[in-house]
Amino acid sequence: DAEITQSPRHKITETGRQVTLACHQTWNHNNMFWYRQDLGHGLRLIHYSYGVQDTNKGEVSDGYSVSRSNTEDLPLTLESAASSQTSVYFCASSELEDLISTDTQYFGPGTRLTVL
Amino acid sequence: KNQVEQSPQSLIILEGKNCTLQCNYTVSPFSNLRWYKQDTGRGPVSLTIMTFSENTKSNGRYTATLDADTKQSSLHITASQLSDSASYICVVSAFVGQFYFGTGTSLTVIP
């Protein structure tokens, strides 16, 4: 069955270190998204991609970067981790551009990141 | 400012009872509205998606309604089960890549 996976599921790192969170989907979807979820804020969009070599900034993109070299993967990099980036990170994918479509987003299981 | 507000923040109900969750939004322009269920420690799972022209959408015991004029949506859960205990998130889409998430309603169903 098609799925979307994230790794690692849990990560503890130190302030200032570079961290990369992996997201891999086997739906063959064009669109991929990264969100962070914090208590009291709900889910917030970090970056998104509508296809290979395409990346776009979301609402809370500062301190994060993504690259899309193939359809299946969208890794999220924290260039220099900060304590404010302690959060749960979710990756999602969908097929159609969400202009007027009702395309479903499929979410991964999440990565819990702690920055000490 | 584009916002999505959900109420109540948390809710406890007895197994077998019905409940209704609310979502009010100020997002404009409006593309579609989604309800997600998120179990503890897992990613959200889509329950319903409604466009401007749809005012009701059902998925089993879940029924979502949309009033685009008043910018309100509700999610009604019928004959609740213990497995319905989760966070329910309302998401409103505007243009491409613009998703506005509510902070969710935490539902606890007790026996």
Side-chain angles (χ1 to χ4, degrees):
Chain A
D1 286 344
E3 60 178 357
I4 180 166
T5 58
Q6 294 182 232
S7 62
R9 294 294 314 277
H10 301 271
K11 173 77 175 178
I12 300 175
T13 191
E14 295 177 342
T15 301
R17 290 191 179 270
Q18 184 180 79
V19 177
T20 296
L21 309 182
C23 175
H24 179 79
Q25 53 98 1
T26 58
W27 296 96
N28 201 34
H29 285 163
N30 287 320
N31 309 326
M32 296 184 74
F33 309 83
W34 272 105
Y35 297 90
R36 61 179 288 175
Q37 188 175 38
D38 304 289
L39 209 59
H41 284 278
L43 282 151
R44 291 181 290 175
L45 183 64
I46 305 172
H47 282 285
Y48 60 100
S49 168
Y50 285 131
V52 176
Q53 301 302 330
D54 175 72
T55 60
N56 305 279
K57 294 181 179 180
E59 176 190 359
V60 290
S61 61
D62 287 347
Y64 304 93
S65 64
V66 294
S67 62
R68 187 89 179 272
S69 59
N70 59 52
T71 301
E72 297 79 18
D73 299 289
L74 186 69
L76 177 71
T77 297
L78 286 68
E79 303 293 343
S80 177
S83 57
S84 60
Q85 294 178 307
T86 293
S87 185
V88 181
Y89 291 86
F90 288 98
C91 179
S93 73
S94 66
E95 177 55 28
L96 301 173
E97 283 196 18
D98 191 45
L99 183 57
I100 59 172
S101 79
T102 56
D103 189 30
T104 297
Q105 276 194 332
Y106 296 89
F107 284 81
T111 293
R112 182 174 295 277
L113 176 68
T114 302
V115 182
L116 301 175
Chain B
K1 184 180 177 181
N2 291 318
Q3 285 185 318
V4 177
E5 295 184 351
Q6 293 186 240
S7 61
Q9 191 171 9
S10 61
L11 182 63
I12 301 174
I13 62 172
L14 290 173
E15 185 179 12
K17 297 295 186 181
N18 303 335
C19 68
T20 300
L21 313 180
Q22 298 290 341
C23 174
N24 297 336
Y25 62 93
T26 59
V27 178
S28 181
F30 174 86
S31 175
N32 58 65
L33 185 145
R34 307 156 189 251
W35 283 96
Y36 285 89
K37 177 186 179 188
Q38 185 176 20
D39 292 317
T40 300
R42 293 176 175 258
V45 174
S46 180
L47 292 175
T48 65
I49 305 172
M50 290 183 291
T51 62
F52 182 87
S53 60
E54 298 173 296
N55 53 29
T56 302
K57 184 74 73 77
S58 291
N59 179 356
R61 294 180 296 100
Y62 300 100
T63 299
T65 64
L66 173 65
D67 186 334
D69 291 331
T70 61
K71 297 187 175 181
Q72 296 180 326
S73 176
S74 64
L75 180 68
H76 186 74
I77 304 174
T78 304
S80 60
Q81 300 176 358
L82 298 179
S83 60
D84 292 331
S85 294
S87 180
Y88 292 84
I89 302 170
C90 175
V91 185
V92 179
S93 297
F95 286 127
V96 170
Q98 293 187 350
F99 299 90
Y100 298 91
F101 287 75
T103 55
T105 291
S106 176
L107 174 65
T108 303
V109 181
I110 58 175

